[in-house]
């Protein structure tokens, strides 16, 4: 198959041509190329507002592409080694949900790690599929969940011969990868589809020294968060398809929930960023890897912190590690990750990706520079010097095994009542509870509320984690399923 010309940017080129035509707009959006909203135009700029346009024949239609968007999809598929690629403007959330709903119907089983992003469980609420959770491995020293072990996935497949698919994180938020190729081969031997959440793995496609990508491993569908490490605008992603998956059916699933007014700002950013990675990706990620390894070395040299890397690989639940992830364990200086996260932002004007109860994560990607890395290292050193304390009494784990009583859909739509969190022990949760980021549920609908979970939630709140998911914005009360004692 002939490689396509990756220097092309069909959506961007069509927008440039449209701007040059000076067409008079009597369509939506109502700001009419920025003329109707001066404050917004002053803020975003005339260049941006002039290409915030609606679908029309010269610009194609995201719901049913036949020209420039179709060409952009073909270029993306070529760049990522897929049979087909879809431009997603609802974030990787929409791509994950489209994957799940393409593979599973109501009542059908899907095998997945419990430390999935909420988007995957939300898909189960919407479509009524039944999760078969595989508890991830745990690194006891760091307290972090890992990936799924091959043996645990094999056991789940054997015990659930009617399952339709397996979902794998590649990588986790912390950079941990499961044995993806082995899981793909195993699942395919049993006739299951393999879906991969690659929200944090865009760069895997463009550098040989990084973990294997979903398409290279032979997976059937992958949700790729181009905006996270690929340089496109927030909320823009790709959904990749290969093997015998029918792209036409996947398109119909996407169109059930994705907007009919696709943003050309987001689509053009995917087009331009894809070109950049396809042509310059190796060089870009050479540099990112170099920066990350330097930062890891400097942070570990100062002591107290632990910026972990490939040494945590165990050949199974941590089969590989993404060295571009600057994941740092903070508990040994007596501070929760979220406390360091807050200090970096409030006192040093440094915004990292997230902090949880024992770790922080700094995302390094296409836009990072040496000076910024030095500033982060210096700030961490000063935080240690000024604020380090005894670590006794700190919670030492990030993952609580769930006890599942009902499917997410049954629990979410069940008759429910709201009770104080402290009185919810032994009840079945009817909503989500999670720290955001990363958006991995502590509790999902259908799970029993245990004393350990209540303690975890209270501890995370006390340390300053941003809690989301509950109807009660204060997370003082929680919705439970009526009439279901432990």
């Amino acid at each position: 198959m002939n490689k396509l010309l990756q220097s092309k940017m069909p959506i961007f080129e069509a927008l440039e041509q449209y701007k040059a035509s000076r067409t008079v707009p009597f369509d939506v959006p109502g700001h009419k190329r920025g003329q109707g909203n001066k404050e917004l135009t002053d803020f975003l700029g005339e260049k941006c507002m002039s290409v915030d346009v609606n679908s029309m024949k010269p610009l194609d239609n995201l719901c049913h592409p036949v020209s420039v968007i179709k060409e952009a999809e073909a270029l993306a598929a070529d760049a990522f080694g897929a049979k087909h690629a879809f431009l997603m403007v609802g974030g990787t959330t929409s791509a994950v949900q489209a994957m799940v709903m393409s593979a599973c119907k109501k009542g059908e089983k899907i095998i997945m790690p419990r430390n999935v992003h909420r988007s995957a469980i939300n898909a189960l609420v919407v479509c009524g599929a039944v999760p078969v959770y595989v508890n991830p491995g745990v690194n006891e020293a760091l307290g972090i969940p890992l990936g799924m072990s091959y043996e645990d996935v094999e056991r789940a497949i054997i015990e659930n011969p009617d399952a339709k698919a397996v979902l794998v994180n590649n990588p986790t938020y912390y950079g941990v990868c499961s044995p993806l190729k082995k899981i793909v081969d195993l699942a395919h031997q049993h006739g299951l589809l393999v879906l991969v959440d690659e929200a944090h793995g865009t760069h895997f496609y463009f550098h040989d020294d990084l973990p294997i990508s979903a398409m290279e491993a032979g997976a059937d569908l992958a949700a790729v968060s181009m905006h996270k490490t690929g340089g496109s605008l927030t909320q823009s992603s790709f959904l990749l398809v290969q093997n015998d998956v029918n792209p036409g059916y996947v398109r119909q699933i996407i169109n059930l929930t994705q907007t009919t007014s696709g943003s050309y700002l987001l689509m053009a950013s995917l087009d331009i960023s894809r070109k950049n990675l396809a042509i310059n990706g190796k060089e870009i990620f050479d540099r990112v890897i170099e920066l990350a390894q330097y930062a890891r070395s400097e942070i570990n040299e100062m002591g107290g912190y632990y910026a972990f890397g490939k040494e945590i690989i165990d050949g199974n639940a941590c089969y590989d590690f993404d060295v571009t992830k600057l994941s740092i364990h903070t508990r040994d200086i007596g501070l929760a990750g979220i406390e360091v996260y807050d200090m970096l932002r409030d006192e040093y004007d440094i915004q990292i990706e997230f902090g949880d109860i024992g770790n922080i994560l700094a995302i390094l990607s296409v836009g990072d520079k040496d000076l910024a890395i030095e500033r982060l290292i210096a700030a961490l050193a000063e935080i240690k010097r000024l604020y380090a304390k005894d670590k006794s009494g700190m919670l030492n784990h990030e993952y609580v095994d769930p006890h599942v009583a009902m499917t997410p859909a049954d629990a979410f739509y069940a008759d429910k009542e709201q009770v104080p969190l402290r009185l919810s022990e032994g009840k079945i949760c009817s909503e989500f509870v999670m720290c955001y980021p990363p958006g991995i549920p502590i509790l999902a609908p259908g799970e029993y509320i245990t004393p350990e979970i209540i303690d975890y939630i209270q501890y995370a709140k006390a340390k300053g984690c941003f809690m989301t998911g509950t109807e009660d914005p204060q997370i003082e009360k929680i919705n439970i399923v009526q009439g279901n004692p432990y």
Side-chain angles (χ1 to χ4, degrees):
M1 177 177 163
N2 293 328
K3 295 288 285 182
L4 300 181
L5 189 62
Q6 286 293 332
S7 60
K8 293 194 67 178
M9 298 176 287
I11 298 173
F12 166 77
E13 292 158 12
L15 286 169
E16 289 282 270
Q17 187 174 348
Y18 179 74
K19 280 180 66 177
S21 72
R22 302 179 64 85
T23 301
V24 178
F26 284 102
D27 60 350
V28 297
H31 61 68
K32 301 300 172 86
R33 315 301 183 258
Q35 297 176 86
N37 195 332
K38 184 178 184 302
E39 284 183 319
L40 188 59
T41 302
D42 289 345
F43 178 59
L44 294 180
E46 184 276 333
K47 284 188 176 181
C48 174
M49 298 297 283
S50 69
V51 291
D52 180 39
V53 294
N54 194 31
S55 295
M56 60 191 74
K57 279 190 176 181
L59 299 180
D60 208 354
N61 188 298
L62 183 60
C63 295
H64 191 90
V66 295
S67 58
V68 293
I69 295 176
K70 183 178 180 181
E71 187 179 354
E73 289 180 342
L75 284 161
D78 183 65
F80 284 84
K83 182 174 78 174
H84 194 90
F86 298 92
L87 277 60
M88 306 297 294
V89 296
T92 310
T93 288
S94 64
V96 169
Q97 292 173 346
M99 284 198 308
V100 173
M101 292 191 290
S102 295
C104 302
K105 301 181 180 67
K106 183 176 181 179
E108 294 181 341
K109 293 179 181 177
I110 177 170
I111 296 166
M112 60 172 62
R114 176 52 182 77
N115 59 327
V116 290
H117 189 264
R118 67 172 296 176
S119 58
I121 302 178
N122 281 348
L124 306 182
V125 171
V126 173
C127 75
V130 178
V132 176
Y133 290 130
V134 173
N135 282 323
V138 175
N139 182 300
E140 299 291 346
L142 300 173
I144 64 167
L146 302 174
M148 297 186 292
S149 74
Y150 177 87
E151 292 78 15
D152 286 345
V153 175
E154 183 178 42
R155 187 179 307 111
I157 290 174
I158 290 169
E159 292 175 356
N160 298 274
D162 53 343
K164 297 296 182 181
V166 178
L167 188 146
V168 186
N169 294 325
N170 193 51
T172 69
Y173 237 104
Y174 300 99
V176 172
C177 297
S178 300
L180 182 59
K181 181 69 168 69
K182 292 173 67 178
I183 290 172
V184 168
D185 291 344
L186 172 70
H188 285 170
Q189 288 167 19
H190 289 267
L192 280 71
L193 293 173
V194 179
L195 324 178
V196 182
D197 181 346
E198 282 188 316
H200 289 268
T202 303
H203 45 299
F204 290 2
Y205 289 86
F206 302 99
H207 202 288
D208 291 341
D209 293 340
L210 294 172
I212 193 170
S213 69
M215 294 295 103
E216 187 182 355
D220 300 286
L221 297 108
V224 178
S225 199
M226 190 68 165
H227 69 93
K228 285 186 171 67
T229 58
S232 66
L233 290 178
T234 295
Q235 203 174 308
S236 59
S237 295
F238 287 121
L239 175 56
L240 308 178
V241 173
Q242 68 177 348
N243 302 330
D244 294 328
V245 175
N246 179 357
Y249 178 69
V250 175
R251 173 95 64 196
Q252 289 181 323
I253 296 293
I254 291 170
N255 286 342
L256 292 175
T257 55
Q258 184 163 255
T259 179
T260 56
S261 304
S263 166
Y264 279 86
L265 297 174
L266 298 183
M267 288 188 279
S269 81
L270 285 171
D271 208 18
I272 295 167
S273 300
R274 179 269 314 151
K275 173 211 167 185
N276 187 36
L277 294 190
I279 294 174
N280 304 310
K282 171 67 166 59
E283 177 184 353
I284 288 168
F285 293 113
D286 273 342
R287 183 67 179 141
V288 173
I289 291 169
E290 180 186 342
L291 286 173
Q293 298 287 45
Y294 169 75
R296 189 173 287 112
S297 173
E298 291 291 306
I299 291 165
N300 286 335
E301 187 78 19
M302 74 177 68
Y305 301 104
Y306 174 32
F308 48 94
K310 284 202 167 192
E311 71 280 356
I312 72 169
I313 290 173
D314 62 12
N316 203 354
C318 184
Y319 186 81
D320 205 347
F321 185 80
D322 174 11
V323 294
T324 73
K325 295 286 186 296
L326 191 55
S327 303
I328 305 166
H329 190 61
T330 65
R331 201 168 53 238
D332 288 342
I333 63 167
L335 295 173
I338 187 63
E339 293 174 310
V340 176
Y341 169 97
D342 286 340
M343 289 175 187
L344 285 169
R345 183 194 60 246
D346 296 341
E347 300 181 30
Y348 298 92
D349 298 321
I350 294 172
Q351 181 63 56
I352 59 172
E353 176 66 12
F354 83 91
D356 52 32
I357 64 172
N359 302 275
I360 59 174
L361 171 65
I363 294 285
L364 274 60
S365 195
V366 296
D368 287 291
K369 305 295 181 187
D370 294 41
L371 186 60
I373 295 295
E374 296 292 356
R375 186 169 160 183
L376 173 62
I377 293 166
L380 288 171
E382 190 165 301
I383 288 171
K384 179 196 168 190
R385 180 175 63 83
L386 294 175
Y387 301 107
K389 57 188 178 182
D390 186 81
K391 68 176 181 178
S392 59
M394 297 188 72
L395 203 60
N396 64 358
H397 60 278
E398 301 286 355
Y399 179 75
V400 181
D401 289 354
H403 299 275
V404 180
M406 301 171 66
T407 69
D410 287 345
F412 185 84
Y413 293 113
D415 291 336
K416 62 193 74 173
E417 60 181 304
Q418 196 173 70
V419 300
L421 178 63
R422 59 187 172 80
L423 300 179
S424 64
E425 179 185 339
K427 305 300 183 182
I428 297 174
C429 186
S430 182
E431 57 186 350
F432 290 93
V433 185
M434 70 201 88
C435 300
Y436 192 87
I440 297 166
I442 302 165
L443 270 172
E447 295 174 1
Y448 285 123
I449 304 169
T450 64
E452 185 182 24
I453 286 171
I454 294 173
D455 289 346
Y456 186 102
I457 293 170
Q458 299 285 28
Y459 183 88
K461 285 175 61 180
K463 288 297 184 183
C465 290
F466 181 60
M467 310 294 289
T468 70
T470 53
E471 191 175 314
D472 172 22
Q474 306 304 319
I475 328 288
E476 298 291 343
K477 297 177 180 178
I478 191 166
N479 285 340
I480 61 168
V481 175
Q482 283 186 349
N484 282 281
Y486 196 97

